[in-house]
Amino acid sequence: FSTITEAMERDIKEAIDITSDGFENWNKLGAEKRAQILRKIADNFEHNKFELYSLLIKEAGKSIHDTINEVIEAIDFCRYYANQAEILTKEKILPGATGESNILSMHGRGIFLCISPWNFPFAIFVGQVVAALVTGNTVIAKPSGQTPVIANFAIKLMHKAGVSKSALQLVITSGGNINKHAVDDERISGVAFTGSCGAAQAINMTLAARKSGTIVPFIAETGGQNAMIVDSSALLEQVTDDVLTSAFYSAGQRCSALRMLYVQEEIYDELLEMIKGAVEVLEIGDTSDFSMDIGPVIDKKAKDILDAHIDDMQKKGFEIFTHPYKDKKKDGYYFYPHIIEVNSINDIPDERFGPILHITKYKAKNIDKVIDEINGCGFGLTFGIHSRVEEKIEHIRSKIKVGNIYVNRSIVGAKVESQPFGGENKSGTGFKAGGPHYLLRFMTERATSINTTAFGGNVELLNG
């Protein structure tokens, strides 16, 4: 691994100086040339995929399956945003009176600060950065402190593809430092952030407290208290498989992971036993062994929070099922899957970022109460429905308030372009990453109106 030195105030200000000076040239380069660079970045990622796999396994503890999918997602972001930028940045001729020409054009805003998390240290990091770059902005990229080596390697491949250092600077520092010395700097023209609600609120407050300067966009994707409803018509084998994928794979460390499972009472006992049986055979360990299903949580702090949650729920008297090998000592921050039987989503004090599934039963006549409980928790990221009754699916879908709804499948693994990803309420501000509107938040519009008769005659009439 590389030697990592934390950036301090002087380093952060220097990065802002460099990207401020580089903005005009990068913005003038044009969307087509920037899109070509993004496609070269995608090619570089493909050519270095095995190095990326290795880093994701060693630094982030990811399974080989998750690692491959994350690299694919980052490549998809590059190519999709390249295509989208070429479409969205084209000048548009707008209607107007005879003798008048109206043009709408799109432009970069300035310096974008991109702050990414450790749970997707490559895909989310890359997605934010290339979206800002291709739309004409220069970028300061601030990765999570837990995964700086992956970010450093990604930046090197971007520079190699043609992104100038004056257009893209990597800053490895604490969240406090970046908030104090970058978010507060009035030269920052926008912030793209993925992480916790608390950190998002801190950034939002800092932006709002600026004494002068422009009001800038804040693109935030935060967490979720994600739920799934399973009715009595569902295929239990399929539900079991999708619950395992959604709640436990990736060590439950996806913002989209399943936290709360509502099961219709008629099938509750049978489904719970099937899920328990499936959990028992999951292999937990060092993911450099490709036979492992689940790796460690990211660090000691994360494990301590999960341990404290289990202790708290035990003290409250909730029934808890644990993986049979939970007491097996291993070097590293391994947290074995747990299932906790609760009364409702309101029994979960906050988002618990790990392989813990909360489960309860409900009566069919109380389905609207269940929906109200889920909506009432304040989050709105992902949600799942398992049912073979179309009327029920549409009823739930019409009432639930979340960004991504999944029917009869897992609630994780959104695909670029096909399943744009992002939440509402406490789970995000939009637009959705990997969707057709995302790049618009990174750009500013300019409308030009020209009186063509001032040149002597009406050119449009002559052409007609």
Side-chain angles (χ1 to χ4, degrees):
F1 279 9
S2 305
T3 301
I4 302 298
T5 303
E6 183 176 358
M8 303 309 289
E9 180 180 2
R10 182 183 64 183
D11 307 305
I12 296 168
K13 294 300 183 185
E14 183 181 357
I16 297 173
D17 290 341
I18 291 169
T19 48
S20 179
D21 292 341
F23 169 66
E24 186 175 350
N25 285 336
W26 181 254
N27 192 37
K28 282 165 55 178
L29 193 62
E32 288 191 5
K33 288 184 179 177
R34 293 193 298 266
Q36 288 171 6
I37 291 172
L38 256 65
R39 294 184 181 105
K40 288 180 183 176
I41 292 171
D43 292 341
N44 282 354
F45 291 162
E46 274 196 321
H47 297 151
N48 292 271
K49 62 184 178 182
F50 295 111
E51 290 86 348
L52 289 165
Y53 296 163
S54 177
L55 289 176
L56 285 162
I57 290 168
K58 289 181 179 178
E59 190 176 37
K62 288 183 170 278
S63 69
I64 185 62
H65 179 267
D66 288 339
T67 291
I68 292 170
N69 284 340
E70 183 159 354
V71 173
I72 290 170
E73 184 176 11
I75 292 168
D76 287 347
F77 274 135
C78 293
R79 291 176 176 156
Y80 179 68
Y81 290 151
N83 293 342
Q84 284 293 305
E86 288 176 333
I87 296 168
L88 294 172
T89 58
K90 280 192 168 110
E91 288 192 345
K92 295 175 178 62
I93 305 301
L94 304 179
T98 300
E100 180 180 272
S101 174
N102 297 299
I103 304 165
L104 185 69
S105 57
M106 308 296 289
H107 308 268
R109 289 179 172 273
I111 307 170
F112 246 86
L113 175 60
C114 295
I115 305 171
S116 55
W118 50 260
N119 64 327
F120 281 89
F122 185 59
I124 291 178
F125 177 82
V126 168
Q128 290 177 344
V129 169
V130 298
L133 286 172
V134 79
T135 46
N137 304 283
T138 53
V139 174
I140 294 173
K142 189 271 175 197
S144 167
Q146 287 96 333
T147 52
V149 178
I150 294 166
N152 185 51
F153 189 65
I155 292 291
K156 286 181 177 178
L157 293 177
M158 292 183 195
H159 285 152
K160 187 178 178 181
V163 179
S164 65
K165 291 186 178 180
S166 62
L168 174 60
Q169 288 280 303
L170 176 67
V171 172
I172 297 169
T173 191
S174 67
N177 274 342
I178 208 72
N179 200 24
K180 183 178 179 181
H181 303 305
V183 177
D184 190 49
D185 193 304
E186 290 168 4
R187 291 174 292 174
I188 298 296
S189 300
V191 179
F193 169 83
T194 301
S196 70
C197 288
Q201 290 287 5
I203 293 168
N204 195 38
M205 293 295 288
T206 302
L207 289 172
R210 285 180 174 183
K211 293 183 176 60
S212 60
T214 58
I215 297 171
V216 304
F218 179 35
I219 306 164
E221 192 268 287
T222 58
Q225 202 69 293
N226 310 303
M228 179 185 288
I229 293 175
V230 180
D231 77 8
S232 59
S233 72
L235 291 169
L236 301 193
E237 293 84 358
Q238 183 180 354
V239 174
T240 300
D241 188 49
D242 290 340
V243 166
L244 248 66
T245 300
S246 302
F248 302 120
Y249 286 179
S250 308
Q253 295 181 120
R254 293 174 181 253
C255 52
S256 57
L258 177 61
R259 310 293 179 202
M260 183 70 225
L261 181 63
Y262 284 89
V263 181
Q264 193 170 323
E265 61 181 0
E266 287 83 358
I267 59 168
Y268 180 82
D269 292 334
E270 184 180 358
L271 180 59
L272 179 56
E273 287 308 306
M274 290 178 69
I275 294 171
K276 287 179 179 179
V279 167
E280 287 181 347
V281 300
L282 291 174
E283 293 288 342
I284 294 90
D286 184 347
T287 51
S288 59
D289 176 352
F290 293 170
S291 68
M292 293 295 118
D293 298 302
I294 300 173
V297 293
I298 191 65
D299 57 21
K300 184 178 185 299
K301 181 181 177 182
K303 186 176 184 301
D304 289 345
I305 290 171
L306 297 173
D307 285 331
H309 178 60
I310 297 300
D311 290 343
D312 181 57
M313 298 301 271
Q314 282 177 330
K315 289 174 185 175
K316 290 177 179 176
F318 293 112
E319 191 73 25
I320 300 176
F321 167 79
T322 61
H323 191 281
Y325 297 138
K326 75 176 182 68
D327 295 322
K328 202 172 181 181
K329 298 297 180 186
K330 287 190 174 188
D331 292 332
Y333 304 118
Y334 296 101
F335 187 89
Y336 287 81
H338 288 67
I339 300 172
I340 307 175
E341 294 186 70
V342 296
N343 300 311
S344 80
I345 198 168
N346 297 323
D347 292 325
I348 312 171
D350 202 354
E351 186 185 16
R352 292 296 177 254
F353 219 64
I356 301 174
L357 174 68
H358 306 83
I359 185 170
T360 192
K361 65 181 73 171
Y362 73 93
K363 295 181 183 295
K365 66 180 182 180
N366 293 333
I367 187 65
D368 285 342
K369 180 186 174 188
V370 171
I371 296 169
D372 288 343
E373 285 177 358
I374 295 168
N375 286 337
C377 76
F379 291 94
L381 189 57
T382 62
F383 172 77
I385 306 167
H386 264 274
S387 174
R388 287 187 286 173
V389 181
E390 287 190 19
E391 186 179 359
K392 283 187 180 180
I393 292 169
E394 286 306 311
H395 175 77
I396 296 170
R397 179 172 168 261
S398 70
K399 288 179 172 289
I400 205 75
K401 297 175 183 177
V402 302
N404 288 74
I405 301 170
Y406 299 95
V407 180
N408 293 329
R409 52 150 288 171
S410 75
I411 66 170
V412 297
K415 298 292 187 293
V416 174
E417 186 176 15
S418 300
Q419 296 142 10
F421 185 78
E424 55 193 74
N425 298 324
K426 290 196 298 185
S427 293
T429 61
F431 291 127
K432 289 177 173 294
H437 306 132
Y438 187 63
L439 295 186
L440 295 174
R441 291 293 301 277
F442 293 86
M443 294 185 283
T444 189
E445 298 175 307
R446 292 176 190 156
T448 304
S449 185
I450 303 169
N451 176 12
T452 56
T453 62
F455 296 105
N458 188 340
V459 176
E460 289 179 10
L461 294 177
L462 292 173
N463 287 342

